[in-house]
Amino acid sequence: MRVVVQEAPFDFGAEAEAFASGRSDLGAVVTFTGVVRDTGDAARDRMEIEHYPGMTEKALAKIAEEARTRWSLGDVLVIHRYGALTPGEKIMMVATAARHRKDAFEAAEYLMDYLKSRAPFWKKEFSGTDTQWVAARDEDEDALKRW
Amino acid sequence: MDVLYFAWVRERIGHPKDRIETEAATVNELVAELRAREDRYAAAFADLSALRVAVDQELTDFDAPLAGAREVAFFPPMTGG
């Protein structure tokens, strides 16, 4: 299990390639990558992600550990960035490896649902001279209920 | 005790951290003390339903006890991912 919180970009290809490599017992690897989206109407110049150093790492590790107790996983990877990001940049990725795909898919979805609403990150959007904090969505909170 | 603020809570209060001496037994009592400090604190803590709290880096509730706590953080609902 590896949890990384960093400001710098990460190399998705290299991370995906290295993840669970050499583990021929794990027949399924799922990766998910979050990318900064351009909003439909107003151009989003950039985004700044604030986090809570110390708690962030603990919260992510706790979420990953919980996934390991719920599903049969061979390995888990979570990388989440903070700081300034522009549209098209990768914000975060999760990877899960399991013997079978169902565990890998479900665990990846669980990780995503929880780190949206339970990991201490806050996004601020910058569009021209406008700035605003991204509000948490009710759907994201509701998504936790299915687990 | 260190009291930390993040995102718009930090912006509204104007700084990221206060070091305070308090006898507050619960988070709610601490919030009452902070509200009484200055208008900008009262504004930041006007609507607790818009806030979340962590005690010693664990998410908790506003009625949580503060006995032995070293660090309390206030922030809006999280938007990771």
Side-chain angles (χ1 to χ4, degrees), chain B residues 5-73:
Chain B
Y5 315 106
F6 291 95
W8 61 255
V9 184
R10 170 179 55 72
E11 290 180 342
R12 207 160 289 183
I13 287 172
H15 50 251
K17 183 176 174 177
D18 284 311
R19 177 157 288 175
I20 63 167
E21 299 293 328
T22 179
E23 299 294 316
T26 64
V27 174
N28 274 320
E29 288 184 24
L30 176 62
V31 167
E33 282 183 18
L34 291 168
R35 275 180 178 146
R37 282 191 147 200
E38 287 176 49
D39 285 350
R40 57 204 166 104
Y41 286 86
F45 289 100
D47 177 11
L48 291 190
S49 72
L51 294 179
R52 301 290 179 268
V53 60
V55 173
D56 288 334
Q57 304 190 351
E58 292 276 351
L59 275 178
T60 186
D61 301 314
F62 283 86
D63 54 10
L66 287 181
R70 295 179 308 276
E71 185 173 296
V72 178

Coordinates of all heavy atoms in Angstrom, one line a residue, chain B residues 5-73:
Chain B
Y5 N -7.4 26.8 10.7 CA -8.5 27.1 9.8 C -8.1 26.8 8.4 O -7.0 27.1 8.0 CB -8.9 28.6 10.0 CG -9.0 29.0 11.4 CD1 -8.0 29.8 12.0 CD2 -10.1 28.6 12.2 CE1 -8.1 30.2 13.3 CE2 -10.1 29.0 13.5 CZ -9.1 29.8 14.1 OH -9.2 30.2 15.4
F6 N -9.0 26.3 7.6 CA -8.7 26.0 6.2 C -9.7 26.6 5.3 O -10.9 26.8 5.7 CB -8.6 24.5 6.0 CG -7.4 23.9 6.7 CD1 -7.5 23.3 7.9 CD2 -6.1 23.9 6.1 CE1 -6.4 22.8 8.6 CE2 -5.0 23.4 6.7 CZ -5.2 22.8 8.0
A7 N -9.3 26.8 4.0 CA -10.2 27.2 2.9 C -10.8 28.5 3.3 O -10.2 29.4 3.8 CB -11.1 26.1 2.5
W8 N -12.2 28.7 3.0 CA -12.8 30.0 3.3 C -12.9 30.3 4.8 O -13.0 31.5 5.1 CB -14.1 30.1 2.6 CG -15.2 29.2 3.0 CD1 -15.7 28.1 2.3 CD2 -16.0 29.2 4.2 NE1 -16.7 27.5 3.0 CE2 -16.9 28.2 4.1 CE3 -16.0 30.1 5.3 CZ2 -17.9 27.9 5.2 CZ3 -17.0 29.8 6.3 CH2 -17.8 28.7 6.2
V9 N -12.8 29.4 5.6 CA -12.8 29.7 7.1 C -11.5 30.4 7.4 O -11.5 31.5 8.1 CB -12.8 28.4 7.9 CG1 -12.9 28.7 9.4 CG2 -14.0 27.5 7.5
R10 N -10.4 30.0 6.8 CA -9.1 30.7 7.0 C -9.1 32.1 6.4 O -8.7 33.0 7.0 CB -8.0 29.9 6.3 CG -6.6 30.6 6.2 CD -5.6 29.7 5.5 NE -6.0 29.2 4.2 CZ -6.1 29.9 3.1 NH1 -5.8 31.2 3.1 NH2 -6.5 29.4 2.0
E11 N -9.7 32.2 5.2 CA -9.8 33.5 4.6 C -10.7 34.5 5.4 O -10.4 35.7 5.5 CB -10.4 33.4 3.2 CG -9.4 32.7 2.2 CD -9.9 32.5 0.8 OE1 -11.2 32.6 0.6 OE2 -9.1 32.3 -0.1
R12 N -11.8 34.0 5.9 CA -12.7 34.8 6.7 C -12.1 35.3 8.0 O -12.2 36.5 8.4 CB -14.0 34.1 6.9 CG -15.2 35.0 7.1 CD -16.5 34.3 6.8 NE -16.7 33.9 5.4 CZ -17.8 33.3 5.0 NH1 -18.8 33.0 5.8 NH2 -17.9 33.0 3.7
I13 N -11.4 34.4 8.6 CA -10.7 34.8 9.9 C -9.5 35.6 9.6 O -9.1 36.5 10.4 CB -10.5 33.5 10.7 CG1 -11.8 33.0 11.3 CG2 -9.5 33.8 11.9 CD1 -11.8 31.7 12.0
G14 N -8.8 35.3 8.5 CA -7.7 36.2 8.2 C -6.3 35.6 8.5 O -5.3 36.2 8.1
H15 N -6.3 34.4 9.1 CA -5.0 33.8 9.4 C -5.2 32.3 9.5 O -6.4 31.9 9.8 CB -4.2 34.4 10.5 CG -5.1 34.5 11.8 ND1 -5.5 35.7 12.3 CD2 -5.6 33.5 12.6 CE1 -6.2 35.5 13.3 NE2 -6.3 34.2 13.6
P16 N -4.2 31.5 9.4 CA -4.4 30.0 9.4 C -4.4 29.3 10.7 O -4.8 28.2 10.9 CB -3.2 29.5 8.5 CG -2.1 30.5 8.7 CD -2.8 31.8 8.9
K17 N -4.0 30.1 11.8 CA -3.8 29.4 13.0 C -3.8 30.3 14.2 O -3.3 31.4 14.1 CB -2.4 28.7 13.0 CG -2.0 27.8 14.1 CD -0.7 27.2 13.8 CE 0.0 26.4 14.9 NZ 1.2 25.8 14.5
D18 N -4.5 29.9 15.3 CA -4.4 30.6 16.6 C -3.8 29.6 17.6 O -4.2 28.4 17.6 CB -5.8 31.0 17.1 CG -6.3 32.2 16.3 OD1 -5.5 33.2 16.2 OD2 -7.4 32.2 15.8
R19 N -3.0 30.1 18.5 CA -2.6 29.3 19.7 C -3.3 29.9 20.9 O -3.2 31.0 21.2 CB -1.1 29.3 19.8 CG -0.6 28.6 21.1 CD 0.8 28.2 21.0 NE 1.0 27.1 20.0 CZ 2.2 26.6 19.6 NH1 3.3 27.1 20.1 NH2 2.2 25.6 18.7
I20 N -4.2 29.0 21.5 CA -5.0 29.6 22.5 C -5.0 28.8 23.8 O -4.7 27.6 23.8 CB -6.5 29.8 22.1 CG1 -7.1 28.4 21.8 CG2 -6.6 30.7 20.9 CD1 -8.6 28.5 21.6
E21 N -5.2 29.4 24.9 CA -5.4 28.8 26.2 C -6.9 28.7 26.4 O -7.6 29.7 26.3 CB -4.8 29.6 27.3 CG -3.3 29.8 27.2 CD -2.5 28.5 27.4 OE1 -3.0 27.6 28.2 OE2 -1.5 28.3 26.8
T22 N -7.5 27.5 26.7 CA -8.9 27.4 26.8 C -9.3 26.4 27.8 O -8.5 25.4 28.0 CB -9.6 27.1 25.5 OG1 -11.0 27.0 25.7 CG2 -9.0 25.8 24.9
E23 N -10.4 26.6 28.5 CA -11.0 25.6 29.4 C -12.1 24.9 28.8 O -12.8 24.1 29.4 CB -11.5 26.3 30.7 CG -10.4 27.1 31.5 CD -9.3 26.2 32.1 OE1 -9.7 25.1 32.6 OE2 -8.1 26.5 31.9
A24 N -12.4 25.2 27.5 CA -13.5 24.6 26.8 C -13.5 23.1 26.9 O -12.5 22.4 26.6 CB -13.5 25.0 25.3
A25 N -14.6 22.5 27.3 CA -14.7 21.0 27.5 C -15.1 20.3 26.2 O -14.8 19.1 26.0 CB -15.7 20.7 28.6
T26 N -15.7 21.1 25.3 CA -16.2 20.5 24.0 C -15.9 21.4 22.9 O -15.6 22.6 23.1 CB -17.7 20.2 24.0 OG1 -18.4 21.5 24.1 CG2 -18.2 19.3 25.2
V27 N -16.0 20.9 21.7 CA -15.8 21.7 20.5 C -16.8 22.9 20.5 O -16.5 24.0 20.2 CB -15.9 20.9 19.2 CG1 -15.9 21.8 18.0 CG2 -14.9 19.8 19.1
N28 N -18.1 22.6 20.8 CA -19.1 23.6 20.9 C -18.7 24.8 21.8 O -18.9 25.9 21.5 CB -20.4 23.1 21.3 CG -21.2 22.5 20.1 OD1 -21.2 23.1 19.0 ND2 -21.9 21.4 20.3
E29 N -18.1 24.4 23.0 CA -17.7 25.5 23.9 C -16.5 26.3 23.3 O -16.5 27.5 23.5 CB -17.3 24.8 25.3 CG -18.5 24.3 26.0 CD -18.1 23.8 27.4 OE1 -17.0 24.2 28.0 OE2 -18.8 22.9 27.9
L30 N -15.7 25.6 22.6 CA -14.6 26.3 22.0 C -15.1 27.3 20.9 O -14.6 28.4 20.8 CB -13.6 25.3 21.3 CG -12.4 25.9 20.5 CD1 -11.5 26.8 21.4 CD2 -11.6 24.8 19.8
V31 N -16.1 26.8 20.1 CA -16.7 27.7 19.1 C -17.3 28.9 19.7 O -17.2 30.0 19.2 CB -17.8 26.9 18.3 CG1 -18.6 27.8 17.4 CG2 -17.1 25.8 17.4
A32 N -18.0 28.7 20.9 CA -18.6 29.9 21.6 C -17.5 30.9 22.0 O -17.7 32.1 21.8 CB -19.4 29.4 22.8
E33 N -16.4 30.4 22.5 CA -15.3 31.3 22.8 C -14.7 32.0 21.6 O -14.4 33.2 21.7 CB -14.1 30.5 23.5 CG -14.4 30.1 24.9 CD -13.1 29.4 25.5 OE1 -12.0 29.5 24.9 OE2 -13.3 28.7 26.5
L34 N -14.6 31.3 20.5 CA -14.0 31.9 19.3 C -15.0 33.0 18.7 O -14.6 34.1 18.3 CB -13.7 30.8 18.2 CG -12.6 29.9 18.6 CD1 -12.6 28.7 17.6 CD2 -11.2 30.6 18.5
R35 N -16.3 32.7 18.7 CA -17.3 33.6 18.2 C -17.2 34.9 19.0 O -17.5 36.0 18.4 CB -18.7 33.0 18.4 CG -19.1 32.1 17.3 CD -20.6 31.7 17.6 NE -21.1 30.8 16.6 CZ -21.9 29.8 16.8 NH1 -22.2 29.5 18.1 NH2 -22.4 29.1 15.8
A36 N -16.9 34.8 20.3 CA -16.9 36.0 21.1 C -15.7 36.9 20.9 O -15.6 38.0 21.4 CB -17.1 35.6 22.6
R37 N -14.7 36.4 20.2 CA -13.4 37.1 20.1 C -13.6 38.4 19.3 O -13.2 39.4 19.7 CB -12.4 36.2 19.3 CG -11.8 35.2 20.2 CD -10.6 34.6 19.4 NE -9.6 34.2 20.4 CZ -8.3 34.0 20.1 NH1 -7.9 34.1 18.8 NH2 -7.5 33.7 21.0
E38 N -14.1 38.2 18.0 CA -14.2 39.3 17.1 C -15.3 39.0 16.1 O -15.6 37.9 15.9 CB -12.9 39.5 16.3 CG -11.7 40.1 17.1 CD -10.5 40.2 16.2 OE1 -10.6 40.7 15.1 OE2 -9.4 39.7 16.7
D39 N -15.7 40.1 15.4 CA -16.8 39.9 14.4 C -16.4 38.9 13.3 O -17.2 38.1 12.9 CB -17.1 41.2 13.7 CG -17.9 42.1 14.6 OD1 -18.3 41.7 15.6 OD2 -18.1 43.3 14.2
R40 N -15.1 38.9 12.9 CA -14.8 38.0 11.8 C -14.8 36.5 12.2 O -15.2 35.7 11.4 CB -13.4 38.3 11.2 CG -12.3 38.3 12.2 CD -11.1 39.2 11.7 NE -10.2 39.5 12.8 CZ -9.0 38.9 12.9 NH1 -8.6 38.0 12.0 NH2 -8.2 39.1 13.9
Y41 N -14.6 36.3 13.5 CA -14.8 34.9 14.0 C -16.3 34.6 14.1 O -16.7 33.5 13.7 CB -14.2 34.8 15.4 CG -12.7 34.7 15.4 CD1 -11.9 35.9 15.5 CD2 -12.0 33.5 15.4 CE1 -10.5 35.9 15.5 CE2 -10.6 33.5 15.5 CZ -9.9 34.7 15.5 OH -8.5 34.6 15.5
A42 N -17.1 35.5 14.5 CA -18.5 35.3 14.6 C -19.1 35.0 13.2 O -19.9 34.1 13.0 CB -19.2 36.5 15.2
A43 N -18.5 35.7 12.2 CA -19.0 35.5 10.8 C -18.6 34.1 10.3 O -19.4 33.4 9.7 CB -18.4 36.6 9.9
A44 N -17.3 33.7 10.6 CA -16.8 32.4 10.2 C -17.6 31.3 10.8 O -17.9 30.2 10.2 CB -15.4 32.3 10.5
F45 N -18.0 31.5 12.0 CA -18.7 30.4 12.8 C -20.2 30.6 12.9 O -20.9 30.0 13.7 CB -18.2 30.2 14.2 CG -16.8 29.7 14.2 CD1 -15.7 30.5 14.3 CD2 -16.6 28.3 14.0 CE1 -14.4 30.0 14.3 CE2 -15.3 27.8 14.0 CZ -14.2 28.6 14.2
A46 N -20.8 31.4 11.9 CA -22.2 31.8 12.0 C -23.1 30.5 11.7 O -24.1 30.3 12.4 CB -22.5 32.9 11.0
D47 N -22.7 29.7 10.8 CA -23.5 28.6 10.4 C -22.7 27.3 10.6 O -21.9 26.9 9.7 CB -24.0 28.7 9.0 CG -24.8 27.5 8.5 OD1 -25.1 26.7 9.3 OD2 -25.1 27.5 7.3
L48 N -22.9 26.6 11.7 CA -22.0 25.4 11.9 C -22.3 24.2 10.9 O -21.5 23.3 10.7 CB -22.2 24.9 13.3 CG -21.6 25.8 14.4 CD1 -21.6 25.1 15.8 CD2 -20.2 26.2 14.1
S49 N -23.5 24.3 10.3 CA -23.9 23.2 9.4 C -23.0 23.3 8.1 O -22.9 22.4 7.4 CB -25.3 23.3 9.0 OG -25.6 24.4 8.1
A50 N -22.3 24.5 7.9 CA -21.4 24.7 6.8 C -20.0 24.3 7.1 O -19.1 24.4 6.3 CB -21.5 26.1 6.3
L51 N -19.8 23.9 8.4 CA -18.4 23.6 8.8 C -18.2 22.1 9.3 O -19.2 21.4 9.6 CB -18.1 24.5 10.0 CG -18.0 26.0 9.8 CD1 -17.7 26.7 11.1 CD2 -16.9 26.3 8.7
R52 N -17.0 21.7 9.2 CA -16.6 20.4 9.7 C -15.5 20.6 10.7 O -14.8 21.7 10.6 CB -16.1 19.5 8.6 CG -17.1 19.2 7.5 CD -18.3 18.3 8.0 NE -19.3 18.1 6.9 CZ -20.4 18.9 6.8 NH1 -20.6 19.9 7.5 NH2 -21.2 18.6 5.8
V53 N -15.3 19.7 11.6 CA -14.3 19.9 12.6 C -13.4 18.6 12.8 O -14.0 17.5 12.7 CB -14.9 20.3 14.0 CG1 -15.8 19.2 14.5 CG2 -13.8 20.6 15.0
A54 N -12.1 18.8 13.0 CA -11.3 17.6 13.3 C -10.5 17.9 14.6 O -10.1 19.1 14.8 CB -10.2 17.4 12.2
V55 N -10.5 16.9 15.5 CA -9.7 17.1 16.7 C -8.6 16.1 16.6 O -8.7 14.9 16.4 CB -10.6 16.7 18.0 CG1 -9.8 16.7 19.2 CG2 -11.7 17.8 18.1
D56 N -7.4 16.7 16.8 CA -6.1 15.9 16.6 C -6.1 15.1 15.3 O -5.8 13.9 15.3 CB -5.9 15.0 17.8 CG -5.4 15.9 19.0 OD1 -4.9 17.0 18.8 OD2 -5.7 15.4 20.2
Q57 N -6.6 15.8 14.3 CA -6.5 15.3 12.9 C -7.5 14.1 12.6 O -7.3 13.4 11.6 CB -5.1 14.9 12.5 CG -4.1 16.1 12.7 CD -2.8 15.9 12.1 OE1 -2.4 14.8 11.7 NE2 -2.0 17.0 12.1
E58 N -8.5 14.0 13.5 CA -9.6 13.0 13.2 C -10.9 13.8 13.1 O -11.2 14.5 14.0 CB -9.7 12.0 14.4 CG -8.5 11.1 14.5 CD -8.6 9.8 13.6 OE1 -9.7 9.6 13.0 OE2 -7.6 9.1 13.5
L59 N -11.6 13.5 12.0 CA -13.0 14.1 11.9 C -13.8 13.7 13.1 O -13.8 12.6 13.5 CB -13.6 13.6 10.6 CG -13.3 14.3 9.3 CD1 -14.1 13.6 8.2 CD2 -13.7 15.7 9.3
T60 N -14.6 14.7 13.6 CA -15.5 14.4 14.7 C -16.7 15.4 14.7 O -16.9 16.0 13.7 CB -14.7 14.5 16.0 OG1 -15.5 14.1 17.1 CG2 -14.2 15.9 16.3
D61 N -17.4 15.4 15.8 CA -18.6 16.2 15.8 C -18.4 17.4 16.7 O -17.5 17.4 17.5 CB -19.8 15.4 16.4 CG -20.1 14.2 15.5 OD1 -20.1 14.4 14.3 OD2 -20.3 13.1 16.1
F62 N -19.3 18.4 16.7 CA -19.2 19.6 17.5 C -19.4 19.3 19.0 O -19.0 20.2 19.8 CB -20.1 20.7 16.9 CG -19.5 21.4 15.7 CD1 -19.7 20.8 14.4 CD2 -18.7 22.5 15.8 CE1 -19.1 21.4 13.3 CE2 -18.1 23.0 14.7 CZ -18.3 22.5 13.4
D63 N -20.0 18.2 19.3 CA -20.2 17.9 20.7 C -19.0 17.1 21.3 O -19.1 16.6 22.4 CB -21.6 17.3 21.0 CG -21.8 16.1 20.2 OD1 -20.9 15.6 19.5 OD2 -22.9 15.6 20.2
A64 N -18.0 16.9 20.5 CA -16.9 16.0 20.9 C -16.1 16.7 22.1 O -16.0 17.9 22.1 CB -15.9 15.8 19.7
P65 N -15.6 15.9 23.0 CA -14.9 16.4 24.1 C -13.5 16.9 23.7 O -12.9 16.4 22.7 CB -14.8 15.3 25.1 CG -14.9 14.0 24.3 CD -15.8 14.4 23.1
L66 N -12.9 17.8 24.4 CA -11.6 18.4 24.0 C -10.5 18.0 25.0 O -9.4 18.4 24.9 CB -11.6 19.9 23.9 CG -12.4 20.4 22.7 CD1 -12.3 22.0 22.7 CD2 -11.7 19.9 21.4
A67 N -10.9 17.1 26.0 CA -9.9 16.8 27.0 C -8.6 16.2 26.4 O -8.7 15.2 25.6 CB -10.5 15.7 28.0
G68 N -7.5 16.8 26.6 CA -6.2 16.3 26.1 C -5.9 16.7 24.7 O -4.9 16.3 24.2
A69 N -6.8 17.4 24.0 CA -6.7 17.7 22.6 C -5.5 18.7 22.4 O -5.4 19.6 23.2 CB -7.9 18.2 22.0
R70 N -4.7 18.5 21.4 CA -3.6 19.4 21.1 C -3.9 20.3 19.9 O -3.4 21.4 19.8 CB -2.3 18.6 20.8 CG -1.8 17.9 22.0 CD -0.5 17.1 21.6 NE -0.7 16.3 20.4 CZ -1.2 15.1 20.4 NH1 -1.6 14.5 21.6 NH2 -1.3 14.4 19.3
E71 N -4.8 19.8 19.0 CA -5.0 20.5 17.8 C -6.5 20.4 17.3 O -7.0 19.2 17.3 CB -4.1 19.9 16.7 CG -4.1 20.6 15.4 CD -3.0 20.0 14.5 OE1 -1.8 20.2 14.8 OE2 -3.4 19.4 13.4
V72 N -7.1 21.5 17.1 CA -8.5 21.5 16.6 C -8.5 22.2 15.3 O -7.9 23.3 15.2 CB -9.5 22.1 17.6 CG1 -10.9 22.1 17.0 CG2 -9.4 21.4 18.9
A73 N -9.2 21.7 14.2 CA -9.2 22.3 12.9 C -10.7 22.5 12.5 O -11.5 21.6 12.6 CB -8.4 21.5 11.9

